[in-house]
């Protein structure tokens, strides 16, 4: 029986097409798409484009196309008129819905209570502002009542008119204390009271806390100036709005310049690593030539040596020579793959010497020394310029720090100092002689500061990169990193609720002291 012939498999590491530019074009394509998207989102939410109803163009367009009521009927026409949408109309759009804020009242324990009460307020959207829409504001009261014996007591909430809204008859020293209301309307001077039902007996200690979920009438994704903030994300004690419209100004430039420049700098770093080992390769090649080896054998021998980032290229040249490709063609292809002026100049010199014949070892040594000297000078330049780049980054951080201090300290202080005025106008302000200082909007100045920091990042980063390598890609890489730093600092420090226009939670405003309530009237 004849033996089965074994297949001979030859693995050829053929030269592959260079995909560097293809990858760069793909990155540029997606970067431009993302940059245009970010820029479009920013400009349609920034207020730079006026709209008939005063709302951002983005919300008008989105809600005009998607809004519908509970029955599924389109309500987009309400966002395409000259009239500002009402609370009810906003609720038909999924990005303009109002979400409840949590308000809590925690009271110090009351002691020796026979009957005692306190007034409190409930914030919320006035009924006339909701167009008849019922807005549920649930209330929870948790309490603990202790006494020397299991005395009966009553806890109740009364309306400003004295009507009992909710009550609970309980027994001291038990766990049945508490109230829960499905909704409580916005109003002032509600009354919370505890009454001992045992004559001449008091409750030793009463502790309680009250929680109300209230609606302020402002869409959860917007501020009180109808500017886009986006969903809130809580990271421990820090609350962030990562999709606030201001972020997209910085992200626009970041997407345009950083991804492609970062990729290209990685390509240049890889080329630089090849150039670092290139003089060593030429020196060893000259030594083998002096030893009597041909260029083909010398390169094939050096393929087993260690040249770091140059290893793959030397191996590729060795394979090409083993296939019978001329040495001059192999080194020209190597120069084309690396593509740097230093390598191309040295290879052109070597190829010409190889074509002319003669003592090529001297040419190799000269090319190696020349390449090494150029890399040394390049390193010296980087070391000399490094201090200037550090100064640019330091100046940027100083500028950023000053801007953040102004935003967090100076602007709120000015805004608070003239928050009310005697003129009764909406602008408020203070009057000094015949001069009226109008109220300032902290978000307006914060916006100007952020735009300024972003422009500073573009200028400083570009200059730092050009000084370092002379390439715009290096400058754009520095600019992108500076923009990223500004985004982080502003979001974690400067974009606080009081500065970006988030309405402060008003609280339940309990009365300063307690009082003796009037008797409970049960009707009848």
């Amino acid at each position: 029986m004849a033996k089965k012939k074994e297949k001979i498999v030859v693995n050829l590491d053929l030269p592959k097409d260079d995909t560097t530019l293809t990858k760069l074009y793909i990155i540029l394509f997606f970067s431009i798409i993302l940059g245009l998207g970010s820029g479009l989102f920013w400009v349609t939410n920034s207020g730079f484009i006026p709209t008939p109803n005063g709302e951002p163009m983005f919300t008008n367009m989105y809600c005009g196309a998607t809004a519908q009521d509970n029955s599924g009927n389109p309500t987009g026409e309400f966002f395409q008129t000259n009239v500002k949408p009402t609370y009810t109309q906003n609720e038909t759009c999924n990005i303009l819905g109002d979400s409840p804020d949590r308000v809590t009242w925690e009271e110090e324990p009351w002691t020796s209570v026979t009957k005692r009460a306190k007034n409190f307020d409930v914030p919320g959207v006035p009924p006339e502002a909701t167009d008849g829409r019922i807005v549920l504001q649930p209330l929870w009261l948790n309490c603990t009542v202790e006494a020397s014996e299991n005395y009966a007591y009553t806890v109740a909430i009364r309306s400003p008119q004295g009507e009992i809204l909710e009550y609970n008859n309980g027994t001291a020293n038990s766990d049945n204390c508490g109230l829960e209301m499905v909704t409580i309307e916005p109003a002032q001077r509600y009354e919370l009271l505890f009454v001992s039902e045992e004559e001449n007996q008091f409750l030793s200690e009463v502790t309680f806390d009250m929680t109300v979920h209230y609606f302020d009438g402002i869409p959860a994704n917007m501020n009180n100036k109808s500017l886009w903030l986006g969903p809130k994300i809580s990271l421990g004690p820090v609350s962030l709005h990562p999709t606030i419209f201001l972020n997209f100004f910085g992200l626009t430039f970041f997407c345009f310049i950083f991804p492609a420049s970062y990729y290209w700098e990685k390509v240049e770093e890889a080329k630089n690593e090849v150039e670092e080992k290139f003089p060593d390769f030429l020196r060893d090649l000259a030594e083998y030539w002096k030893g009597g080896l041909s260029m083909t054998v010398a390169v094939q021998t050096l393929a087993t040596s260690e040249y770091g980032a140059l290893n793959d290229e030397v191996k590729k040249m060795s394979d090409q020579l083993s296939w019978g490709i001329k040495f001059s063609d192999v080194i020209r292809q190597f120069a084309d793959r690396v593509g740097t002026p230093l390598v191309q100049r040295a290879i052109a010199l070597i190829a010409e010497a190889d074509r002319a014949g003669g003592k090529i070892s001297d040419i190799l040594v000269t090319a190696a020394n020349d390449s090494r000297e150029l890399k040394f000078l390049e390193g010296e330049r980087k070391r000399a310029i490094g201090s200037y780049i550090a100064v640019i980054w330091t100046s940027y951080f100083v500028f950023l720090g000053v801007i953040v201090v102004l935003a967090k300290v100076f602007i709120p202080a000015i805004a608070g100092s003239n928050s009310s005025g005697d003129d009764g106008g909406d602008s408020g302000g203070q009057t000094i002689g015949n001069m009226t200082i109008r109220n300032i909007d902290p978000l307006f100045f914060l916006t100007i500061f952020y735009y300024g920091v972003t422009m500073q990042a573009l200028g400083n980063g570009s200059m730092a990169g050009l000084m370092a390598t002379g390439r715009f890609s290096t400058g754009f890489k520095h600019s992108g990193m500076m923009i990223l730093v500004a985004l982080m600092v502003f979001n974690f420090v400067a974009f606080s609720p009081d500065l970006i226009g988030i309405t402060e939670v008003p609280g339940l405003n309990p009365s300063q002291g307690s009082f003796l309530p009037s008797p409970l009237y049960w009707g009848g």
Side-chain angles (χ1 to χ4, degrees):
M1 183 176 177
K3 291 185 178 180
K4 186 178 180 180
K5 293 183 178 180
E6 295 182 359
K7 293 183 179 180
I8 300 176
V9 179
V10 179
N11 293 321
L12 297 178
D13 186 13
L14 297 173
K16 300 178 178 63
D17 293 335
D18 188 5
T19 60
T20 301
L21 289 180
T22 302
K23 293 177 181 177
L24 177 64
Y25 295 149
I26 293 174
I27 293 174
L28 280 172
F29 174 77
F30 285 104
S31 296
I32 292 173
I33 294 297
L34 290 174
L36 289 175
S38 296
L40 185 63
F41 187 85
W42 166 73
V43 76
T44 55
N45 281 284
S46 62
F48 287 156
I49 302 178
T51 57
N53 61 5
E55 297 295 296
M57 178 181 289
F58 169 74
T59 57
N60 285 340
M61 294 173 60
Y62 180 85
C63 295
T66 63
Q68 58 183 15
D69 58 21
N70 294 332
S71 301
N73 300 316
T75 58
E77 67 272 9
F78 297 124
F79 301 91
Q80 299 171 354
T81 65
N82 297 331
V83 181
K84 186 180 180 70
T86 64
Y87 180 87
T88 302
Q89 292 165 357
N90 280 337
E91 289 295 312
T92 64
C93 182
N94 58 6
I95 64 171
L96 294 183
D98 190 8
S99 62
D101 290 305
R102 182 187 180 95
V103 187
T104 301
W105 168 22
E106 294 183 357
E107 181 72 10
E108 293 292 329
W110 293 356
T111 58
S112 303
V113 176
T114 54
K115 54 181 179 178
R116 190 175 301 180
K118 265 196 172 187
N119 293 123
F120 65 95
D121 303 334
V122 175
V125 185
E128 59 271 15
T130 63
D131 297 332
R133 181 187 180 94
I134 299 176
V135 180
L136 299 180
Q137 298 194 149
L139 176 147
W140 296 270
L141 176 73
N142 300 312
C143 55
T144 302
V145 177
E146 297 179 359
S148 58
E149 296 185 21
N150 297 334
Y151 298 137
Y153 69 89
T154 298
V155 54
I157 294 178
R158 291 197 290 199
S159 69
Q161 293 76 30
E163 177 186 357
I164 298 176
L165 301 178
E166 190 65 48
Y167 71 94
N168 180 24
N169 294 321
T171 304
N173 306 318
S174 64
D175 297 330
N176 62 345
C177 183
L179 293 175
E180 182 174 341
M181 296 179 62
V182 175
T183 185
I184 183 168
E185 294 184 357
Q188 295 181 340
R189 299 191 64 79
Y190 281 97
E191 186 178 313
L192 171 66
L193 56 93
F194 286 85
V195 177
S196 173
E197 299 296 342
E198 304 291 340
E199 189 175 356
N200 298 325
Q201 300 296 332
F202 61 85
L203 308 175
S204 302
E205 184 177 87
V206 175
T207 59
F208 65 89
D209 63 81
M210 180 185 294
T211 301
V212 176
H213 285 182
Y214 93 100
F215 293 81
D216 58 7
I218 300 174
N221 292 327
M222 311 288 280
N223 71 352
N224 51 24
K225 299 290 185 180
S226 293
L227 293 174
W228 179 266
L229 299 181
K232 181 176 72 172
I233 296 178
S234 297
L235 298 177
V238 181
S239 296
L240 303 178
H241 292 268
T243 59
I244 183 174
F245 76 98
L246 287 175
N247 282 346
F248 288 89
F249 179 78
L251 287 174
T252 298
F253 293 100
F254 181 84
C255 292
F256 275 140
I257 66 175
F258 186 76
S261 61
Y262 180 81
Y263 169 75
W264 193 250
E265 283 303 297
K266 285 295 183 182
V267 172
E268 292 296 331
E269 288 177 9
K271 291 180 179 179
N272 184 65
E273 291 175 357
V274 171
E275 287 183 344
E276 291 288 345
K277 293 295 183 179
F278 183 61
D280 297 334
F281 171 70
L282 294 181
R283 180 200 61 202
D284 294 344
L285 194 61
E287 293 297 327
Y288 277 102
W289 175 266
K290 290 178 182 179
L293 298 179
S294 66
M295 282 297 177
T296 300
V297 176
V299 172
Q300 291 175 339
T301 304
L302 291 175
T304 60
S305 301
E306 178 58 40
Y307 292 106
L310 196 57
N311 284 342
D312 292 339
E313 294 296 338
V314 176
K315 179 67 167 56
K316 190 173 292 184
M317 286 191 289
S318 173
D319 292 341
Q320 289 175 321
L321 289 171
S322 67
W323 302 333
I325 302 176
K326 291 174 58 178
F327 175 74
S328 58
D329 293 336
V330 169
I331 59 176
R332 283 197 180 96
Q333 291 178 18
F334 163 71
D336 292 339
R337 287 195 300 271
V338 177
T340 62
L342 183 146
V343 173
Q344 288 179 336
R345 184 174 65 175
I347 292 300
L349 182 64
I350 296 169
E352 188 64 25
D354 180 64
R355 186 185 65 82
K359 197 173 182 181
I360 195 174
S361 59
D362 293 340
I363 302 298
L364 290 171
V365 171
T366 301
N369 292 335
D370 179 65
S371 300
R372 184 175 287 106
E373 185 67 21
L374 287 175
K375 295 306 294 181
F376 175 77
L377 293 175
E378 185 179 314
E380 285 292 308
R381 178 175 180 269
K382 286 183 178 180
R383 285 187 288 273
I385 295 298
S387 59
Y388 294 99
I389 296 175
V391 169
I392 290 176
W393 270 93
T394 302
S395 65
Y396 176 74
F397 278 120
V398 170
F399 178 73
L400 180 60
V402 170
I403 289 297
V404 170
V405 170
L406 285 175
K408 291 293 292 182
V409 179
F410 183 68
I411 297 303
I414 295 180
S417 66
N418 60 355
S419 58
S420 61
D422 298 327
D423 57 358
D426 294 337
S427 60
Q430 287 187 343
T431 301
I432 303 177
N434 294 326
M435 180 177 65
T436 299
I437 303 176
R438 299 294 181 183
N439 275 347
I440 65 171
D441 180 11
L443 181 58
F444 170 78
F445 285 92
L446 189 64
T447 300
I448 298 300
F449 289 162
Y450 179 67
Y451 292 164
V453 167
T454 303
M455 293 296 101
Q456 186 81 358
L458 289 172
N460 281 14
S462 298
M463 183 58 64
L466 287 173
M467 291 175 63
T469 63
R471 296 190 301 267
F472 275 106
S473 60
T474 309
F476 290 156
K477 180 182 175 182
H478 280 278
S479 295
M481 290 189 292
M482 288 182 177
I483 290 174
L484 197 60
V485 169
L487 278 169
M488 298 292 288
V489 171
F490 269 81
N491 277 274
F492 280 93
V493 180
F495 290 161
S496 55
D498 58 323
L499 294 181
I500 61 177
I502 296 179
T503 303
E504 184 180 358
V505 178
L508 296 178
N509 300 326
S511 55
Q512 291 294 325
S514 58
F515 57 89
L516 294 177
S518 59
L520 291 171
Y521 176 69
W522 302 100

